[in-house]
Amino acid sequence: MIKARKRLWVVLASAGVLVSAGVLAGFALRDAMTFFHSPAMVAEAPPLPGERIRVGGLVIEGSVERPASGGASFSVTDTIADIRITYAGSLPDLFREGQGIVAEGAFEETGLFVASRVLAKHDEAYMPPEVASALASAEAQGALPGSTGRDAWTLGQARIGQSRT
């Protein structure tokens, strides 16, 4: 009976350690995850201030401001809603108006999105999948009139007045 009791304690202790490890891993993964939100999703259900998320869309023509102190401030759209973003770092070399970007950061109490990282597309034919999906959704909702049958990249280029090369 003593061997059985020792074995039970070993099994219970092992189960406790495994459960604890699982809970700790879950908390660590939850803190490391950042979910993508389009500007329309943010307008519908704004995330809590300070909650780390990713937002993406097309950089609106004429919205980029580069203060003398460094960094940049710009707006992105998914053709349904816009988000104003500030970024204190150096923008990627491929960043420009009218292209798809994804910014990672958090909203302030004032509603301004402060980015800690900005990702830009890497070639002319690429658009981040989240941005392409948001633009396709905008097309389905009729936000881009006359755009039936075009893919998300073409929608984005039509929005900024460029053509595919």
Side-chain angles (χ1 to χ4, degrees):
M1 188 77 161
I2 291 181
K3 282 186 176 183
R5 195 166 274 200
K6 282 184 182 179
R7 202 173 305 140
L8 177 63
W9 279 110
V10 168
V11 169
L12 289 176
S14 298
V17 168
L18 287 175
V19 168
S20 297
V23 168
L24 289 174
F27 278 116
L29 288 175
R30 185 185 68 178
D31 291 341
M33 287 191 299
T34 53
F35 295 102
F36 176 82
H37 295 268
S38 69
M41 292 168 64
V42 169
E44 271 183 35
L48 298 173
E51 179 184 351
R52 295 200 50 81
I53 63 167
R54 287 182 178 178
V55 296
L58 299 173
V59 178
I60 298 173
E61 296 275 347
S63 72
V64 179
E65 297 173 5
R66 296 179 191 252
S69 61
S73 180
F74 54 93
S75 296
V76 296
T77 185
D78 62 356
T79 69
I80 296 174
D82 302 342
I83 294 177
R84 190 72 182 162
I85 299 173
T86 61
Y87 181 60
S90 297
L91 290 170
D93 292 336
L94 297 174
F95 178 92
R96 65 182 180 276
E97 294 178 345
Q99 85 167 30
I101 64 107
V102 174
E104 185 176 324
F107 281 95
E108 292 182 334
E109 293 282 340
T110 61
L112 180 67
F113 187 81
V114 179
S116 58
R117 192 164 77 164
V118 174
L119 308 170
K121 69 180 186 175
H122 61 76
D123 69 16
E124 288 300 315
Y126 176 77
M127 181 172 292
E130 298 92 348
V131 175
S133 174
L135 288 171
S137 175
E139 176 189 22
Q141 294 178 9
L144 297 173
S147 61
T148 306
R150 291 191 262 175
D151 63 7
W153 190 93
T154 306
L155 291 174
Q157 298 309 311
R159 168 91 169 89
I160 60 171
Q162 295 179 356
S163 62
R164 188 177 275 181
T165 55

Short mmCIF file of all heavy atoms in Angstrom, two decimals, residues 99-100 102 120-130 153 157:
data_model
loop_
_atom_site.label_atom_id
_atom_site.label_comp_id
_atom_site.label_asym_id
_atom_site.label_seq_id
_atom_site.Cartn_x
_atom_site.Cartn_y
_atom_site.Cartn_z
N GLN A 99 0.75 52.89 -50.41
CA GLN A 99 1.08 51.47 -50.36
C GLN A 99 0.53 50.83 -49.10
O GLN A 99 0.23 51.51 -48.12
CB GLN A 99 2.58 51.27 -50.44
CG GLN A 99 3.26 51.36 -49.09
CD GLN A 99 4.68 50.86 -49.16
OE1 GLN A 99 5.33 50.94 -50.18
NE2 GLN A 99 5.16 50.34 -48.08
N GLY A 100 0.43 49.51 -49.10
CA GLY A 100 -0.04 48.77 -47.94
C GLY A 100 1.04 48.64 -46.88
O GLY A 100 2.19 48.36 -47.20
N VAL A 102 1.61 47.52 -42.43
CA VAL A 102 1.08 47.01 -41.17
C VAL A 102 1.89 47.67 -40.06
O VAL A 102 3.12 47.66 -40.12
CB VAL A 102 1.18 45.47 -41.07
CG1 VAL A 102 0.76 44.99 -39.69
CG2 VAL A 102 0.32 44.82 -42.14
N ALA A 120 6.50 47.44 -44.17
CA ALA A 120 6.07 47.84 -45.51
C ALA A 120 6.21 46.67 -46.46
O ALA A 120 7.01 45.76 -46.22
CB ALA A 120 6.91 49.02 -45.99
N LYS A 121 5.46 46.72 -47.55
CA LYS A 121 5.54 45.64 -48.53
C LYS A 121 6.93 45.56 -49.13
O LYS A 121 7.65 46.55 -49.18
CB LYS A 121 4.47 45.80 -49.60
CG LYS A 121 4.68 46.97 -50.53
CD LYS A 121 3.57 47.03 -51.55
CE LYS A 121 3.86 48.12 -52.57
NZ LYS A 121 2.87 48.14 -53.61
N HIS A 122 7.31 44.38 -49.63
CA HIS A 122 8.67 44.20 -50.10
C HIS A 122 8.83 44.26 -51.61
O HIS A 122 9.93 44.31 -52.11
CB HIS A 122 9.27 42.90 -49.57
CG HIS A 122 8.54 41.67 -49.98
ND1 HIS A 122 8.64 41.13 -51.21
CD2 HIS A 122 7.69 40.88 -49.29
CE1 HIS A 122 7.90 40.04 -51.29
NE2 HIS A 122 7.31 39.87 -50.14
N ASP A 123 7.77 44.25 -52.37
CA ASP A 123 7.87 44.47 -53.82
C ASP A 123 6.54 44.97 -54.34
O ASP A 123 5.57 45.09 -53.62
CB ASP A 123 8.35 43.21 -54.55
CG ASP A 123 7.33 42.08 -54.56
OD1 ASP A 123 6.16 42.32 -54.28
OD2 ASP A 123 7.73 40.94 -54.86
N GLU A 124 6.50 45.28 -55.62
CA GLU A 124 5.31 45.90 -56.21
C GLU A 124 4.07 45.00 -56.18
O GLU A 124 2.97 45.49 -56.14
CB GLU A 124 5.60 46.30 -57.67
CG GLU A 124 6.52 47.49 -57.78
CD GLU A 124 5.94 48.73 -57.10
OE1 GLU A 124 4.76 49.03 -57.29
OE2 GLU A 124 6.70 49.39 -56.38
N ALA A 125 4.25 43.68 -56.25
CA ALA A 125 3.11 42.78 -56.33
C ALA A 125 2.63 42.30 -54.96
O ALA A 125 1.62 41.65 -54.87
CB ALA A 125 3.47 41.57 -57.19
N TYR A 126 3.35 42.62 -53.89
CA TYR A 126 3.01 42.10 -52.57
C TYR A 126 2.16 43.07 -51.78
O TYR A 126 2.39 44.27 -51.81
CB TYR A 126 4.27 41.79 -51.77
CG TYR A 126 3.98 41.33 -50.36
CD1 TYR A 126 3.54 40.04 -50.12
CD2 TYR A 126 4.09 42.19 -49.28
CE1 TYR A 126 3.25 39.61 -48.84
CE2 TYR A 126 3.81 41.78 -48.00
CZ TYR A 126 3.38 40.48 -47.78
OH TYR A 126 3.08 40.07 -46.51
N MET A 127 1.17 42.52 -51.09
CA MET A 127 0.40 43.29 -50.13
C MET A 127 0.21 42.38 -48.92
O MET A 127 -0.10 41.20 -49.09
CB MET A 127 -0.95 43.71 -50.70
CG MET A 127 -1.76 44.53 -49.71
SD MET A 127 -3.23 45.23 -50.41
CE MET A 127 -2.54 46.41 -51.52
N PRO A 128 0.41 42.88 -47.69
CA PRO A 128 0.22 42.02 -46.53
C PRO A 128 -1.15 41.34 -46.60
O PRO A 128 -2.14 41.97 -46.96
CB PRO A 128 0.30 43.00 -45.35
CG PRO A 128 1.13 44.13 -45.86
CD PRO A 128 0.79 44.24 -47.32
N PRO A 129 -1.21 40.04 -46.28
CA PRO A 129 -2.47 39.30 -46.41
C PRO A 129 -3.62 39.95 -45.64
O PRO A 129 -4.76 39.95 -46.11
CB PRO A 129 -2.15 37.92 -45.84
CG PRO A 129 -0.67 37.80 -45.91
CD PRO A 129 -0.13 39.18 -45.82
N GLU A 130 -3.32 40.50 -44.47
CA GLU A 130 -4.37 41.12 -43.68
C GLU A 130 -4.95 42.34 -44.39
O GLU A 130 -6.14 42.58 -44.39
CB GLU A 130 -3.83 41.54 -42.30
CG GLU A 130 -3.34 40.41 -41.45
CD GLU A 130 -1.84 40.13 -41.63
OE1 GLU A 130 -1.22 40.67 -42.57
OE2 GLU A 130 -1.31 39.35 -40.83
N TRP A 153 -4.98 43.51 -54.56
CA TRP A 153 -3.86 44.36 -54.96
C TRP A 153 -4.35 45.40 -55.94
O TRP A 153 -4.03 46.58 -55.84
CB TRP A 153 -2.77 43.51 -55.60
CG TRP A 153 -1.50 44.29 -55.81
CD1 TRP A 153 -0.45 44.36 -54.96
CD2 TRP A 153 -1.18 45.13 -56.92
NE1 TRP A 153 0.51 45.19 -55.47
CE2 TRP A 153 0.09 45.68 -56.67
CE3 TRP A 153 -1.83 45.47 -58.08
CZ2 TRP A 153 0.71 46.55 -57.55
CZ3 TRP A 153 -1.21 46.34 -58.96
CH2 TRP A 153 0.05 46.87 -58.69
N GLN A 157 -4.31 49.54 -55.69
CA GLN A 157 -3.69 50.40 -56.69
C GLN A 157 -4.73 51.31 -57.33
O GLN A 157 -4.44 52.47 -57.63
CB GLN A 157 -2.98 49.55 -57.75
CG GLN A 157 -1.85 48.72 -57.17
CD GLN A 157 -0.90 49.53 -56.35
OE1 GLN A 157 -0.44 50.58 -56.76
NE2 GLN A 157 -0.60 49.07 -55.14
#
